[in-house]
Amino acid sequence: MCALTLFGVVFSFYISANPGMPLAPIVDLLKENGPANTGLTLIWVPILYGTMTGGRVLCAIFFLCVLMAGWSSHITIVESVVRNIEDFGVPRKLTVLGVTLLMFLIGLPSALDINFLVNQDFVWGFSLLFCGTGLTILALRFGVRKFRDVVINEYGYLFDWHLPVVWIWVIRLLIPAQALFIFIWWTIEQIESEVRPWYELWRESLMMCWVQWLGAVIVLLGCNLVLVRYWPDISYRWGMYRQHIQGTASSEKATDITMGNDVDSPLVLTDSTHAYDYVSVGADQTDRV
């Protein structure tokens, strides 16, 4: 509703500022939203507030709200990544510092180069479709009915709104069909509407999207394979590291390490939130049980 109102105000303001101008050029101007969709917020909003009494103050408040909205979203993104890394036994302070620094470095090129920002907005804006589809696949792999009954309906409070049975068929049929339709439609539209051939690598080409998406998939699969292969050793080393840095902490939070005298006896690492059991074979740490 706010966006529709703002477009109407911009249209009205431009007509009043250019009374002899035809309507068609104004419509074409509004269609162009600036590079990386920055036109409405960074161009038209300041112009609109500049015509109002006290507009400078209102404009400052508006951009402060935009800053707070972005910051609050950033906190949730950082926390979701930190929580997953914490599950591997990495200390929280080290995780927060590393994730924040990594996100800053990833976002720095977009802040310094508008062309890079346009490319990232084009490539990863549409990839949100894959994120939603991935969550749907997770529910399908987990079991849609089980996900509905256990994770959502039984987890909520007594008077929470419970998902109806029709939600199961929405996840199984409707959402995958919608995702496939949108992807095919978007691909055809990009091929037909691009000013340059779709197979060229430039900032807003279909081939650029496919290359970056494929690169992200390769990196994620590689990290997953490395984690699966070396998970026991990683967990063991982080457990030893946490015991070392906790030092003289209370027994509830300290890491207790017990090992039998025999080489083949089990090694158990426990703390307040994790428990790792291993079996030593010979001199090497091999399997998690």
Side-chain angles (χ1 to χ4, degrees), residues 6-33 44:
L6 187 58
F7 270 113
V9 173
V10 170
F11 189 84
S12 175
F13 166 75
Y14 209 89
I15 291 179
S16 62
N18 303 273
M21 189 174 183
L23 298 181
I26 302 178
V27 175
D28 294 335
L29 181 63
L30 289 175
K31 290 180 180 179
E32 177 58 41
N33 195 26
W44 288 108

mmCIF file of all heavy atoms in Angstrom, residues 6-33 44:
data_model
loop_
_atom_site.group_PDB
_atom_site.id
_atom_site.type_symbol
_atom_site.label_atom_id
_atom_site.label_comp_id
_atom_site.label_asym_id
_atom_site.label_seq_id
_atom_site.Cartn_x
_atom_site.Cartn_y
_atom_site.Cartn_z
ATOM 1 N N LEU A 6 3.064 5.899 -2.896
ATOM 2 C CA LEU A 6 4.240 6.680 -3.277
ATOM 3 C C LEU A 6 4.324 6.855 -4.789
ATOM 4 O O LEU A 6 4.637 7.950 -5.286
ATOM 5 C CB LEU A 6 5.503 5.993 -2.752
ATOM 6 C CG LEU A 6 6.811 6.760 -2.931
ATOM 7 C CD1 LEU A 6 6.732 8.123 -2.259
ATOM 8 C CD2 LEU A 6 7.962 5.960 -2.344
ATOM 9 N N PHE A 7 4.017 5.801 -5.546
ATOM 10 C CA PHE A 7 4.026 5.921 -7.007
ATOM 11 C C PHE A 7 2.985 6.952 -7.470
ATOM 12 O O PHE A 7 3.229 7.732 -8.401
ATOM 13 C CB PHE A 7 3.738 4.570 -7.657
ATOM 14 C CG PHE A 7 4.974 3.765 -7.916
ATOM 15 C CD1 PHE A 7 5.209 2.585 -7.225
ATOM 16 C CD2 PHE A 7 5.906 4.188 -8.856
ATOM 17 C CE1 PHE A 7 6.348 1.834 -7.461
ATOM 18 C CE2 PHE A 7 7.048 3.447 -9.102
ATOM 19 C CZ PHE A 7 7.270 2.266 -8.404
ATOM 20 N N GLY A 8 1.818 6.941 -6.832
ATOM 21 C CA GLY A 8 0.797 7.919 -7.193
ATOM 22 C C GLY A 8 1.233 9.342 -6.902
ATOM 23 O O GLY A 8 1.008 10.258 -7.706
ATOM 24 N N VAL A 9 1.883 9.543 -5.764
ATOM 25 C CA VAL A 9 2.365 10.875 -5.409
ATOM 26 C C VAL A 9 3.446 11.340 -6.368
ATOM 27 O O VAL A 9 3.474 12.507 -6.795
ATOM 28 C CB VAL A 9 2.881 10.875 -3.959
ATOM 29 C CG1 VAL A 9 3.555 12.209 -3.630
ATOM 30 C CG2 VAL A 9 1.735 10.624 -2.987
ATOM 31 N N VAL A 10 4.356 10.429 -6.733
ATOM 32 C CA VAL A 10 5.412 10.776 -7.678
ATOM 33 C C VAL A 10 4.819 11.161 -9.026
ATOM 34 O O VAL A 10 5.237 12.144 -9.663
ATOM 35 C CB VAL A 10 6.398 9.590 -7.831
ATOM 36 C CG1 VAL A 10 7.372 9.834 -8.984
ATOM 37 C CG2 VAL A 10 7.170 9.381 -6.527
ATOM 38 N N PHE A 11 3.850 10.404 -9.489
ATOM 39 C CA PHE A 11 3.197 10.685 -10.769
ATOM 40 C C PHE A 11 2.547 12.072 -10.735
ATOM 41 O O PHE A 11 2.693 12.876 -11.668
ATOM 42 C CB PHE A 11 2.158 9.607 -11.054
ATOM 43 C CG PHE A 11 1.582 9.671 -12.431
ATOM 44 C CD1 PHE A 11 2.239 9.082 -13.499
ATOM 45 C CD2 PHE A 11 0.370 10.318 -12.661
ATOM 46 C CE1 PHE A 11 1.704 9.138 -14.780
ATOM 47 C CE2 PHE A 11 -0.171 10.382 -13.931
ATOM 48 C CZ PHE A 11 0.503 9.787 -14.996
ATOM 49 N N SER A 12 1.835 12.355 -9.642
ATOM 50 C CA SER A 12 1.168 13.648 -9.509
ATOM 51 C C SER A 12 2.174 14.783 -9.434
ATOM 52 O O SER A 12 1.986 15.846 -10.053
ATOM 53 C CB SER A 12 0.284 13.646 -8.263
ATOM 54 O OG SER A 12 -0.288 14.919 -8.054
ATOM 55 N N PHE A 13 3.259 14.577 -8.686
ATOM 56 C CA PHE A 13 4.271 15.630 -8.544
ATOM 57 C C PHE A 13 4.940 15.926 -9.881
ATOM 58 O O PHE A 13 5.171 17.084 -10.235
ATOM 59 C CB PHE A 13 5.320 15.192 -7.515
ATOM 60 C CG PHE A 13 6.567 16.031 -7.543
ATOM 61 C CD1 PHE A 13 6.573 17.307 -6.999
ATOM 62 C CD2 PHE A 13 7.733 15.553 -8.125
ATOM 63 C CE1 PHE A 13 7.726 18.090 -7.031
ATOM 64 C CE2 PHE A 13 8.887 16.320 -8.166
ATOM 65 C CZ PHE A 13 8.884 17.596 -7.615
ATOM 66 N N TYR A 14 5.234 14.895 -10.661
ATOM 67 C CA TYR A 14 5.930 15.113 -11.925
ATOM 68 C C TYR A 14 5.032 15.840 -12.923
ATOM 69 O O TYR A 14 5.496 16.655 -13.726
ATOM 70 C CB TYR A 14 6.395 13.768 -12.497
ATOM 71 C CG TYR A 14 7.636 13.894 -13.341
ATOM 72 C CD1 TYR A 14 8.893 13.801 -12.760
ATOM 73 C CD2 TYR A 14 7.556 14.117 -14.705
ATOM 74 C CE1 TYR A 14 10.054 13.927 -13.523
ATOM 75 C CE2 TYR A 14 8.694 14.238 -15.486
ATOM 76 C CZ TYR A 14 9.940 14.140 -14.886
ATOM 77 O OH TYR A 14 11.076 14.267 -15.645
ATOM 78 N N ILE A 15 3.736 15.580 -12.882
ATOM 79 C CA ILE A 15 2.812 16.287 -13.771
ATOM 80 C C ILE A 15 2.734 17.763 -13.387
ATOM 81 O O ILE A 15 2.729 18.662 -14.247
ATOM 82 C CB ILE A 15 1.416 15.637 -13.721
ATOM 83 C CG1 ILE A 15 1.459 14.256 -14.370
ATOM 84 C CG2 ILE A 15 0.385 16.511 -14.423
ATOM 85 C CD1 ILE A 15 0.132 13.536 -14.338
ATOM 86 N N SER A 16 2.662 18.036 -12.069
ATOM 87 C CA SER A 16 2.584 19.432 -11.635
ATOM 88 C C SER A 16 3.870 20.193 -11.924
ATOM 89 O O SER A 16 3.839 21.400 -12.200
ATOM 90 C CB SER A 16 2.270 19.487 -10.134
ATOM 91 O OG SER A 16 3.316 18.867 -9.387
ATOM 92 N N ALA A 17 5.024 19.499 -11.869
ATOM 93 C CA ALA A 17 6.298 20.155 -12.154
ATOM 94 C C ALA A 17 6.520 20.331 -13.643
ATOM 95 O O ALA A 17 7.279 21.217 -14.059
ATOM 96 C CB ALA A 17 7.440 19.349 -11.540
ATOM 97 N N ASN A 18 5.878 19.501 -14.480
ATOM 98 C CA ASN A 18 6.021 19.581 -15.936
ATOM 99 C C ASN A 18 4.626 19.565 -16.555
ATOM 100 O O ASN A 18 4.189 18.531 -17.090
ATOM 101 C CB ASN A 18 6.860 18.418 -16.469
ATOM 102 C CG ASN A 18 8.228 18.351 -15.825
ATOM 103 O OD1 ASN A 18 9.180 18.986 -16.260
ATOM 104 N ND2 ASN A 18 8.323 17.559 -14.745
ATOM 105 N N PRO A 19 3.912 20.648 -16.479
ATOM 106 C CA PRO A 19 2.499 20.638 -16.903
ATOM 107 C C PRO A 19 2.291 20.339 -18.379
ATOM 108 O O PRO A 19 1.263 19.789 -18.748
ATOM 109 C CB PRO A 19 2.029 22.065 -16.558
ATOM 110 C CG PRO A 19 3.277 22.877 -16.475
ATOM 111 C CD PRO A 19 4.348 21.949 -15.992
ATOM 112 N N GLY A 20 3.240 20.674 -19.236
ATOM 113 C CA GLY A 20 3.039 20.439 -20.654
ATOM 114 C C GLY A 20 3.555 19.103 -21.139
ATOM 115 O O GLY A 20 3.469 18.796 -22.340
ATOM 116 N N MET A 21 4.055 18.280 -20.245
ATOM 117 C CA MET A 21 4.669 17.013 -20.644
ATOM 118 C C MET A 21 3.603 15.939 -20.843
ATOM 119 O O MET A 21 2.680 15.801 -20.022
ATOM 120 C CB MET A 21 5.662 16.564 -19.578
ATOM 121 C CG MET A 21 6.514 15.378 -19.976
ATOM 122 S SD MET A 21 7.779 15.012 -18.727
ATOM 123 C CE MET A 21 8.637 13.655 -19.525
ATOM 124 N N PRO A 22 3.678 15.150 -21.913
ATOM 125 C CA PRO A 22 2.702 14.059 -22.112
ATOM 126 C C PRO A 22 2.817 13.005 -21.017
ATOM 127 O O PRO A 22 3.828 12.893 -20.322
ATOM 128 C CB PRO A 22 3.085 13.491 -23.481
ATOM 129 C CG PRO A 22 3.906 14.547 -24.134
ATOM 130 C CD PRO A 22 4.599 15.285 -23.044
ATOM 131 N N LEU A 23 1.770 12.216 -20.897
ATOM 132 C CA LEU A 23 1.746 11.202 -19.845
ATOM 133 C C LEU A 23 2.648 10.013 -20.160
ATOM 134 O O LEU A 23 3.197 9.396 -19.245
ATOM 135 C CB LEU A 23 0.309 10.716 -19.618
ATOM 136 C CG LEU A 23 -0.697 11.774 -19.138
ATOM 137 C CD1 LEU A 23 -2.059 11.127 -18.933
ATOM 138 C CD2 LEU A 23 -0.222 12.428 -17.853
ATOM 139 N N ALA A 24 2.785 9.655 -21.427
ATOM 140 C CA ALA A 24 3.558 8.458 -21.779
ATOM 141 C C ALA A 24 5.004 8.516 -21.297
ATOM 142 O O ALA A 24 5.504 7.546 -20.722
ATOM 143 C CB ALA A 24 3.498 8.235 -23.287
ATOM 144 N N PRO A 25 5.739 9.638 -21.476
ATOM 145 C CA PRO A 25 7.115 9.679 -20.959
ATOM 146 C C PRO A 25 7.193 9.557 -19.444
ATOM 147 O O PRO A 25 8.161 9.007 -18.908
ATOM 148 C CB PRO A 25 7.632 11.042 -21.444
ATOM 149 C CG PRO A 25 6.791 11.375 -22.614
ATOM 150 C CD PRO A 25 5.449 10.818 -22.299
ATOM 151 N N ILE A 26 6.177 10.082 -18.748
ATOM 152 C CA ILE A 26 6.180 9.968 -17.285
ATOM 153 C C ILE A 26 6.018 8.509 -16.866
ATOM 154 O O ILE A 26 6.678 8.026 -15.946
ATOM 155 C CB ILE A 26 5.055 10.830 -16.677
ATOM 156 C CG1 ILE A 26 5.233 12.300 -17.087
ATOM 157 C CG2 ILE A 26 5.046 10.703 -15.167
ATOM 158 C CD1 ILE A 26 4.137 13.206 -16.581
ATOM 159 N N VAL A 27 5.136 7.794 -17.556
ATOM 160 C CA VAL A 27 4.943 6.370 -17.260
ATOM 161 C C VAL A 27 6.227 5.599 -17.527
ATOM 162 O O VAL A 27 6.638 4.741 -16.725
ATOM 163 C CB VAL A 27 3.779 5.801 -18.087
ATOM 164 C CG1 VAL A 27 3.665 4.295 -17.876
ATOM 165 C CG2 VAL A 27 2.477 6.491 -17.718
ATOM 166 N N ASP A 28 6.886 5.899 -18.631
ATOM 167 C CA ASP A 28 8.156 5.227 -18.938
ATOM 168 C C ASP A 28 9.217 5.549 -17.886
ATOM 169 O O ASP A 28 10.042 4.707 -17.534
ATOM 170 C CB ASP A 28 8.653 5.648 -20.322
ATOM 171 C CG ASP A 28 7.736 5.162 -21.436
ATOM 172 O OD1 ASP A 28 7.026 4.154 -21.210
ATOM 173 O OD2 ASP A 28 7.724 5.792 -22.516
ATOM 174 N N LEU A 29 9.202 6.789 -17.385
ATOM 175 C CA LEU A 29 10.166 7.179 -16.365
ATOM 176 C C LEU A 29 9.952 6.403 -15.071
ATOM 177 O O LEU A 29 10.904 5.983 -14.413
ATOM 178 C CB LEU A 29 10.067 8.681 -16.112
ATOM 179 C CG LEU A 29 11.031 9.273 -15.078
ATOM 180 C CD1 LEU A 29 12.476 9.104 -15.549
ATOM 181 C CD2 LEU A 29 10.721 10.748 -14.835
ATOM 182 N N LEU A 30 8.692 6.203 -14.700
ATOM 183 C CA LEU A 30 8.405 5.475 -13.468
ATOM 184 C C LEU A 30 8.735 3.993 -13.600
ATOM 185 O O LEU A 30 9.007 3.317 -12.605
ATOM 186 C CB LEU A 30 6.930 5.641 -13.088
ATOM 187 C CG LEU A 30 6.535 7.035 -12.579
ATOM 188 C CD1 LEU A 30 5.036 7.094 -12.345
ATOM 189 C CD2 LEU A 30 7.283 7.367 -11.298
ATOM 190 N N LYS A 31 8.702 3.470 -14.826
ATOM 191 C CA LYS A 31 9.063 2.060 -15.022
ATOM 192 C C LYS A 31 10.541 1.815 -14.744
ATOM 193 O O LYS A 31 10.938 0.720 -14.351
ATOM 194 C CB LYS A 31 8.722 1.626 -16.449
ATOM 195 C CG LYS A 31 7.235 1.530 -16.735
ATOM 196 C CD LYS A 31 6.995 1.094 -18.173
ATOM 197 C CE LYS A 31 5.518 0.983 -18.487
ATOM 198 N NZ LYS A 31 5.288 0.585 -19.906
ATOM 199 N N GLU A 32 11.363 2.835 -14.981
ATOM 200 C CA GLU A 32 12.797 2.711 -14.736
ATOM 201 C C GLU A 32 13.063 3.030 -13.265
ATOM 202 O O GLU A 32 12.988 4.188 -12.844
ATOM 203 C CB GLU A 32 13.584 3.662 -15.642
ATOM 204 C CG GLU A 32 15.074 3.644 -15.407
ATOM 205 C CD GLU A 32 15.682 2.262 -15.595
ATOM 206 O OE1 GLU A 32 15.282 1.557 -16.542
ATOM 207 O OE2 GLU A 32 16.555 1.883 -14.784
ATOM 208 N N ASN A 33 13.351 2.017 -12.483
ATOM 209 C CA ASN A 33 13.483 2.179 -11.047
ATOM 210 C C ASN A 33 14.932 2.385 -10.611
ATOM 211 O O ASN A 33 15.267 2.187 -9.450
ATOM 212 C CB ASN A 33 12.900 0.950 -10.326
ATOM 213 C CG ASN A 33 12.676 1.212 -8.847
ATOM 214 O OD1 ASN A 33 12.489 2.347 -8.430
ATOM 215 N ND2 ASN A 33 12.717 0.158 -8.053
ATOM 216 N N TRP A 44 13.403 9.181 -5.734
ATOM 217 C CA TRP A 44 12.091 9.805 -5.666
ATOM 218 C C TRP A 44 11.688 10.193 -4.249
ATOM 219 O O TRP A 44 11.018 11.214 -4.060
ATOM 220 C CB TRP A 44 11.051 8.863 -6.262
ATOM 221 C CG TRP A 44 11.151 8.767 -7.753
ATOM 222 C CD1 TRP A 44 11.603 7.704 -8.484
ATOM 223 C CD2 TRP A 44 10.835 9.788 -8.695
ATOM 224 N NE1 TRP A 44 11.580 7.982 -9.825
ATOM 225 C CE2 TRP A 44 11.109 9.271 -9.985
ATOM 226 C CE3 TRP A 44 10.350 11.093 -8.593
ATOM 227 C CZ2 TRP A 44 10.913 10.006 -11.139
ATOM 228 C CZ3 TRP A 44 10.143 11.819 -9.754
ATOM 229 C CH2 TRP A 44 10.428 11.283 -10.996
#
